[in-house]
Amino acid sequence: MINTIKMKKTIAIDMDGVLADIEAHTLQLYEQHSGISLTKADISGNQEWDLVPDGLFHEFVHKPGFFRNLPVMEGAVEAVEKLSQEFEVYIVSAATEFPLSLSEKQEWLTEYFPSISWRNIVFCGSKSIIGTDYMIDDHRKNLDPFKGKTLLFSAFHNQGQNHHQRFDDWKSIVAFLESELAL
Amino acid sequence: MINTIKMKKTIAIDMDGVLADIEAHTLQLYEQHSGISLTKADISGNQEWDLVPDGLFHEFVHKPGFFRNLPVMEGAVEAVEKLSQEFEVYIVSAATEFPLSLSEKQEWLTEYFPSISWRNIVFCGSKSIIGTDYMIDDHRKNLDPFKGKTLLFSAFHNQGQNHHQRFDDWKSIVAFLESELAL
């Protein structure tokens, strides 16, 4: 008898800037703080820590509640739901740099992605030991050492980088990964 | 010129039952609770959730402070220090099952293993996507799907299992891994 059981391919999906819209939230906090309304176009090309002026991003990130209150990225919920049917999806977030964020991030995932089991959540520092088939991330430092296929999620801080295949939204990522299934 | 830079081999080290002496702490809590003093020999061969009678292990584990107050395993500090000279050491703990434990575990590591960077800490559920060269763990479920070399750390709940090379203490693990360097 031929064994027809096929292991699902695995995907590591980043949180900040990929599942969670850290840009939108930071711009909103900056407006509350300074009264100045910046758009995503205004900050395009900035380094991550200069997302908003005066080092305020650093200050915002370290306040309790920052990671718990991030809005979900457009299209992310539907995309993860769709991908979970054909792939084994892991959420892999570089969270140990901010120990306070750990429980906030898990609560956030429980709210927006309740179908993701705790078994499929990874909070780490370096992602260099993650051994999935695909990795979706907005940071080159995470994608560069990865041995599988890499997908760069567009963000203000990675404009102009062309070391990994770039995707501007979740719709194009789902289309790409579905085309991979046919290979 | 010959490039003599050699990448360090990577090790994933578990926390509970390997770096942290969860048995000793649970037996102490049980004695405080019931007045009955059990030894490690008394519980040898028990299933993990039956470490102590009456389902009390489950109760202890879910109380705030449980993971923060675990004693460090004998020889673990010296072993990690020694191994870090020749290997890239990652601490990989299945912590997302207990979200409250996440910050406690990171605080614990900061106290006992201050030289371990946040970059080398991984809190996860399933360890099946961890891609290090070695894994040291007391659970077969973590070692079975691992693609690298496996080291089973002896614990009350894994007695009699012979699917992975067994080590009774940190001294024998260091000796084994140092002998691997010569290969």
Side-chain angles (χ1 to χ4, degrees):
Chain A
M1 201 178 101
I2 296 165
N3 187 346
T4 52
I5 294 171
K6 206 176 158 185
M7 290 286 283
K8 280 181 173 179
K9 294 258 186 187
T10 51
I11 310 176
I13 302 179
D14 182 34
M15 286 180 74
D16 302 328
V18 175
L19 288 184
D21 196 341
I22 200 165
E23 292 179 42
H25 190 55
T26 305
L27 293 180
Q28 191 191 16
L29 291 177
Y30 182 67
E31 189 173 355
Q32 286 169 8
H33 180 275
S34 67
I36 298 165
S37 173
L38 295 173
T39 65
K40 290 201 174 195
D42 292 329
I43 58 161
S44 180
N46 284 9
Q47 293 294 304
E48 184 169 40
W49 289 106
D50 296 323
L51 200 166
V52 288
D54 308 324
L56 282 168
F57 182 52
H58 195 273
E59 195 177 301
F60 294 159
V61 160
H62 284 91
K63 278 196 179 151
F66 179 83
F67 292 98
R68 182 65 187 87
N69 294 312
L70 295 178
V72 72
M73 189 71 80
E74 189 185 339
V77 169
E78 301 78 4
V80 168
E81 194 178 326
K82 199 154 193 182
L83 291 173
S84 295
Q85 293 167 17
E86 302 286 357
F87 296 87
E88 186 73 17
V89 170
Y90 290 86
I91 311 301
V92 180
S93 176
T96 53
E97 187 175 3
F98 308 103
L100 281 178
S101 78
L102 293 164
S103 56
E104 290 192 15
K105 278 174 179 264
Q106 192 153 350
E107 284 173 27
W108 189 92
L109 285 171
T110 303
E111 178 178 348
Y112 293 108
F113 298 89
S115 65
I116 298 282
S117 157
W118 60 263
R119 291 177 185 80
N120 290 38
I121 296 174
V122 183
F123 296 133
C124 58
S126 161
K127 296 188 182 179
S128 59
I129 60 163
I130 301 301
T132 48
D133 298 304
Y134 298 89
M135 179 176 280
I136 307 170
D137 209 292
D138 61 329
H139 279 286
R140 208 189 133 183
K141 69 180 177 197
N142 294 327
L143 297 175
D144 280 354
F146 184 66
K147 294 186 185 80
K149 282 199 184 180
T150 55
L151 292 82
L152 180 74
F153 202 96
S154 276
F156 66 97
H157 60 78
N158 66 29
Q159 296 304 307
Q161 293 178 11
N162 55 5
H163 308 79
H164 302 278
Q165 190 167 353
R166 176 182 295 277
F167 296 86
D168 288 331
D169 53 35
W170 272 106
K171 210 170 166 183
S172 58
I173 285 180
V174 171
F176 171 78
L177 288 169
E178 287 189 333
S179 73
E180 289 278 296
L181 287 172
L183 296 181
Chain B
M1 202 175 100
I2 296 166
N3 188 346
T4 53
I5 295 172
K6 206 177 158 186
M7 289 287 283
K8 280 181 174 178
K9 295 257 187 188
T10 52
I11 310 175
I13 302 179
D14 182 34
M15 287 181 73
D16 302 329
V18 175
L19 288 184
D21 196 342
I22 200 164
E23 293 179 40
H25 189 55
T26 305
L27 293 181
Q28 190 190 18
L29 290 177
Y30 183 67
E31 189 173 356
Q32 285 169 8
H33 180 275
S34 67
I36 300 166
S37 173
L38 296 173
T39 65
K40 289 201 174 195
D42 291 329
I43 59 160
S44 181
N46 284 10
Q47 293 294 303
E48 184 169 41
W49 288 105
D50 295 323
L51 200 166
V52 288
D54 308 324
L56 282 168
F57 182 52
H58 196 274
E59 196 177 299
F60 294 159
V61 160
H62 284 91
K63 278 196 179 152
F66 179 83
F67 292 99
R68 182 66 186 88
N69 294 313
L70 294 178
V72 72
M73 189 71 80
E74 189 185 338
V77 169
E78 301 78 3
V80 168
E81 194 179 325
K82 197 153 194 185
L83 291 174
S84 296
Q85 292 167 18
E86 301 286 355
F87 296 88
E88 185 73 16
V89 169
Y90 290 87
I91 310 302
V92 180
S93 176
T96 53
E97 186 175 4
F98 308 102
L100 281 179
S101 78
L102 293 165
S103 57
E104 289 192 17
K105 277 173 178 264
Q106 191 153 351
E107 283 173 26
W108 189 91
L109 285 170
T110 303
E111 179 178 347
Y112 292 108
F113 298 88
S115 66
I116 298 281
S117 157
W118 59 264
R119 291 177 185 81
N120 290 38
I121 297 173
V122 183
F123 296 132
C124 59
S126 162
K127 296 188 182 179
S128 60
I129 59 164
I130 301 301
T132 47
D133 297 304
Y134 299 89
M135 179 176 281
I136 306 170
D137 209 290
D138 61 330
H139 279 286
R140 208 189 134 185
K141 67 181 177 197
N142 294 328
L143 297 174
D144 279 354
F146 184 65
K147 294 185 186 80
K149 283 200 183 180
T150 55
L151 292 83
L152 180 74
F153 202 96
S154 276
F156 67 97
H157 60 79
N158 66 30
Q159 296 305 307
Q161 293 178 12
N162 56 4
H163 308 79
H164 303 277
Q165 191 167 352
R166 175 183 296 277
F167 296 86
D168 288 331
D169 53 34
W170 271 105
K171 209 170 167 182
S172 57
I173 286 180
V174 171
F176 171 78
L177 288 168
E178 286 189 335
S179 73
E180 288 279 295
L181 286 172
L183 296 181

PDB file of all heavy atoms in Angstrom, chain B residues 85-97:
ATOM      1  N   GLN B  85      32.068  28.226  25.774  1.00  0.00           N
ATOM      2  CA  GLN B  85      33.371  28.570  25.186  1.00  0.00           C
ATOM      3  C   GLN B  85      33.555  27.922  23.816  1.00  0.00           C
ATOM      4  O   GLN B  85      34.227  28.469  22.950  1.00  0.00           O
ATOM      5  CB  GLN B  85      34.494  28.125  26.133  1.00  0.00           C
ATOM      6  CG  GLN B  85      34.520  28.931  27.430  1.00  0.00           C
ATOM      7  CD  GLN B  85      35.404  28.281  28.487  1.00  0.00           C
ATOM      8  OE1 GLN B  85      36.244  27.445  28.190  1.00  0.00           O
ATOM      9  NE2 GLN B  85      35.213  28.674  29.737  1.00  0.00           N
ATOM     10  N   GLU B  86      32.965  26.754  23.629  1.00  0.00           N
ATOM     11  CA  GLU B  86      33.203  25.998  22.390  1.00  0.00           C
ATOM     12  C   GLU B  86      31.957  25.857  21.510  1.00  0.00           C
ATOM     13  O   GLU B  86      32.057  25.475  20.356  1.00  0.00           O
ATOM     14  CB  GLU B  86      33.707  24.582  22.737  1.00  0.00           C
ATOM     15  CG  GLU B  86      34.996  24.545  23.548  1.00  0.00           C
ATOM     16  CD  GLU B  86      36.228  24.893  22.709  1.00  0.00           C
ATOM     17  OE1 GLU B  86      36.087  25.064  21.484  1.00  0.00           O
ATOM     18  OE2 GLU B  86      37.325  24.991  23.293  1.00  0.00           O
ATOM     19  N   PHE B  87      30.799  26.113  22.076  1.00  0.00           N
ATOM     20  CA  PHE B  87      29.538  25.952  21.346  1.00  0.00           C
ATOM     21  C   PHE B  87      28.725  27.247  21.426  1.00  0.00           C
ATOM     22  O   PHE B  87      28.934  28.067  22.324  1.00  0.00           O
ATOM     23  CB  PHE B  87      28.689  24.811  21.954  1.00  0.00           C
ATOM     24  CG  PHE B  87      29.314  23.451  21.859  1.00  0.00           C
ATOM     25  CD1 PHE B  87      30.182  22.996  22.851  1.00  0.00           C
ATOM     26  CD2 PHE B  87      29.032  22.610  20.790  1.00  0.00           C
ATOM     27  CE1 PHE B  87      30.767  21.735  22.775  1.00  0.00           C
ATOM     28  CE2 PHE B  87      29.605  21.339  20.712  1.00  0.00           C
ATOM     29  CZ  PHE B  87      30.472  20.906  21.697  1.00  0.00           C
ATOM     30  N   GLU B  88      27.769  27.392  20.487  1.00  0.00           N
ATOM     31  CA  GLU B  88      26.780  28.460  20.601  1.00  0.00           C
ATOM     32  C   GLU B  88      25.590  27.850  21.344  1.00  0.00           C
ATOM     33  O   GLU B  88      24.930  26.935  20.830  1.00  0.00           O
ATOM     34  CB  GLU B  88      26.378  28.941  19.198  1.00  0.00           C
ATOM     35  CG  GLU B  88      25.455  30.135  19.173  1.00  0.00           C
ATOM     36  CD  GLU B  88      26.145  31.442  19.538  1.00  0.00           C
ATOM     37  OE1 GLU B  88      27.391  31.515  19.522  1.00  0.00           O
ATOM     38  OE2 GLU B  88      25.419  32.394  19.875  1.00  0.00           O
ATOM     39  N   VAL B  89      25.364  28.341  22.566  1.00  0.00           N
ATOM     40  CA  VAL B  89      24.360  27.739  23.437  1.00  0.00           C
ATOM     41  C   VAL B  89      23.038  28.512  23.365  1.00  0.00           C
ATOM     42  O   VAL B  89      23.018  29.729  23.540  1.00  0.00           O
ATOM     43  CB  VAL B  89      24.860  27.717  24.902  1.00  0.00           C
ATOM     44  CG1 VAL B  89      23.741  27.335  25.865  1.00  0.00           C
ATOM     45  CG2 VAL B  89      26.036  26.751  25.046  1.00  0.00           C
ATOM     46  N   TYR B  90      21.959  27.806  23.089  1.00  0.00           N
ATOM     47  CA  TYR B  90      20.614  28.386  23.113  1.00  0.00           C
ATOM     48  C   TYR B  90      19.807  27.714  24.221  1.00  0.00           C
ATOM     49  O   TYR B  90      19.899  26.498  24.412  1.00  0.00           O
ATOM     50  CB  TYR B  90      19.884  28.155  21.776  1.00  0.00           C
ATOM     51  CG  TYR B  90      20.458  28.960  20.647  1.00  0.00           C
ATOM     52  CD1 TYR B  90      21.526  28.467  19.896  1.00  0.00           C
ATOM     53  CD2 TYR B  90      19.962  30.219  20.329  1.00  0.00           C
ATOM     54  CE1 TYR B  90      22.073  29.210  18.862  1.00  0.00           C
ATOM     55  CE2 TYR B  90      20.496  30.959  19.304  1.00  0.00           C
ATOM     56  CZ  TYR B  90      21.545  30.462  18.568  1.00  0.00           C
ATOM     57  OH  TYR B  90      22.083  31.201  17.555  1.00  0.00           O
ATOM     58  N   ILE B  91      19.051  28.507  24.955  1.00  0.00           N
ATOM     59  CA  ILE B  91      18.133  27.955  25.945  1.00  0.00           C
ATOM     60  C   ILE B  91      16.763  27.861  25.261  1.00  0.00           C
ATOM     61  O   ILE B  91      16.242  28.876  24.785  1.00  0.00           O
ATOM     62  CB  ILE B  91      18.032  28.865  27.186  1.00  0.00           C
ATOM     63  CG1 ILE B  91      19.432  29.225  27.722  1.00  0.00           C
ATOM     64  CG2 ILE B  91      17.163  28.220  28.253  1.00  0.00           C
ATOM     65  CD1 ILE B  91      20.300  28.061  28.108  1.00  0.00           C
ATOM     66  N   VAL B  92      16.227  26.656  25.181  1.00  0.00           N
ATOM     67  CA  VAL B  92      14.973  26.441  24.443  1.00  0.00           C
ATOM     68  C   VAL B  92      13.965  25.779  25.378  1.00  0.00           C
ATOM     69  O   VAL B  92      14.096  24.597  25.722  1.00  0.00           O
ATOM     70  CB  VAL B  92      15.212  25.561  23.196  1.00  0.00           C
ATOM     71  CG1 VAL B  92      13.902  25.357  22.435  1.00  0.00           C
ATOM     72  CG2 VAL B  92      16.245  26.201  22.275  1.00  0.00           C
ATOM     73  N   SER B  93      12.973  26.550  25.802  1.00  0.00           N
ATOM     74  CA  SER B  93      12.018  26.064  26.796  1.00  0.00           C
ATOM     75  C   SER B  93      10.588  26.062  26.245  1.00  0.00           C
ATOM     76  O   SER B  93      10.147  27.044  25.643  1.00  0.00           O
ATOM     77  CB  SER B  93      12.087  26.981  28.028  1.00  0.00           C
ATOM     78  OG  SER B  93      11.108  26.601  28.969  1.00  0.00           O
ATOM     79  N   ALA B  94       9.891  24.951  26.447  1.00  0.00           N
ATOM     80  CA  ALA B  94       8.486  24.865  26.025  1.00  0.00           C
ATOM     81  C   ALA B  94       7.633  25.623  27.034  1.00  0.00           C
ATOM     82  O   ALA B  94       7.074  25.030  27.954  1.00  0.00           O
ATOM     83  CB  ALA B  94       8.068  23.404  25.924  1.00  0.00           C
ATOM     84  N   ALA B  95       7.570  26.939  26.884  1.00  0.00           N
ATOM     85  CA  ALA B  95       6.979  27.811  27.909  1.00  0.00           C
ATOM     86  C   ALA B  95       5.620  28.371  27.526  1.00  0.00           C
ATOM     87  O   ALA B  95       4.883  28.850  28.383  1.00  0.00           O
ATOM     88  CB  ALA B  95       7.935  28.972  28.208  1.00  0.00           C
ATOM     89  N   THR B  96       5.263  28.323  26.248  1.00  0.00           N
ATOM     90  CA  THR B  96       4.024  29.000  25.830  1.00  0.00           C
ATOM     91  C   THR B  96       2.780  28.260  26.318  1.00  0.00           C
ATOM     92  O   THR B  96       1.683  28.794  26.239  1.00  0.00           O
ATOM     93  CB  THR B  96       3.975  29.191  24.300  1.00  0.00           C
ATOM     94  OG1 THR B  96       4.188  27.926  23.661  1.00  0.00           O
ATOM     95  CG2 THR B  96       5.047  30.165  23.840  1.00  0.00           C
ATOM     96  N   GLU B  97       2.962  27.026  26.850  1.00  0.00           N
ATOM     97  CA  GLU B  97       1.818  26.325  27.464  1.00  0.00           C
ATOM     98  C   GLU B  97       1.405  27.049  28.747  1.00  0.00           C
ATOM     99  O   GLU B  97       0.255  26.968  29.171  1.00  0.00           O
ATOM    100  CB  GLU B  97       2.204  24.876  27.769  1.00  0.00           C
ATOM    101  CG  GLU B  97       1.033  24.043  28.276  1.00  0.00           C
ATOM    102  CD  GLU B  97       1.379  22.573  28.470  1.00  0.00           C
ATOM    103  OE1 GLU B  97       2.557  22.210  28.279  1.00  0.00           O
ATOM    104  OE2 GLU B  97       0.464  21.797  28.800  1.00  0.00           O
TER     105      GLU B  97
END
